[in-house]
């Protein structure tokens, strides 16, 4: 497999992983339910429960925050690896 294809595979995997984690971790919220309109994606990784943000207060409680935070790290690594592979194969 060429470096360009490996880079593309990293980016595709990162995208798929990020979307799957958003849906999975968001579905674990019970009280309150996760709302795509009212919550931020970063709320899924919040380690504490409580009211968050004074400008737009909302109750945040993410029971699967370790999974979302691990996904944030994995996506970052995959994106960086894809950039590195694409850059190295271009030169």
């Amino acid at each position: 497999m060429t470096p360009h294809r490996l880079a593309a595979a990293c980016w595709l995997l990162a995208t798929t992983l990020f979307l799957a984690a958003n849906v999975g971790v968001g579905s674990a919220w019970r009280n309150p339910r996760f709302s795509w309109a009212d919550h931020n994606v970063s709320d899924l990784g919040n380690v504490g429960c409580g009211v968050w943000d004074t400008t737009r207060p909302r109750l945040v409680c993410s029971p699967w925050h370790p999974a979302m935070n691990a996904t944030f790290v994995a996506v970052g690594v995959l994106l960086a690896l894809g950039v590195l592979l694409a850059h190295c194969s271009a030169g």
Side-chain angles (χ1 to χ4, degrees):
M1 190 176 259
T2 68
H4 278 114
R5 287 185 185 215
L6 285 173
C10 286
W11 295 330
L12 184 61
L13 179 59
T15 303
T16 305
L17 179 62
F18 185 74
L19 292 174
N22 275 276
V23 172
V25 174
S27 69
W29 283 42
R30 295 290 178 241
N31 190 17
R33 300 287 302 163
F34 182 77
S35 165
W36 293 102
D38 298 330
H39 291 94
N40 298 331
V41 171
S42 60
D43 291 344
L44 295 171
N46 200 320
V47 298
C49 294
V51 176
W52 190 255
D53 196 353
T54 58
T55 60
R56 194 173 47 92
R58 62 202 179 277
L59 184 58
V60 173
C61 193
S62 184
W64 291 358
H65 60 85
M68 194 67 212
N69 289 324
T71 299
F72 287 144
V73 171
V75 166
V77 168
L78 286 167
L79 292 175
L81 181 59
V83 168
L84 182 64
L85 286 165
H87 175 72
C88 290
S89 65

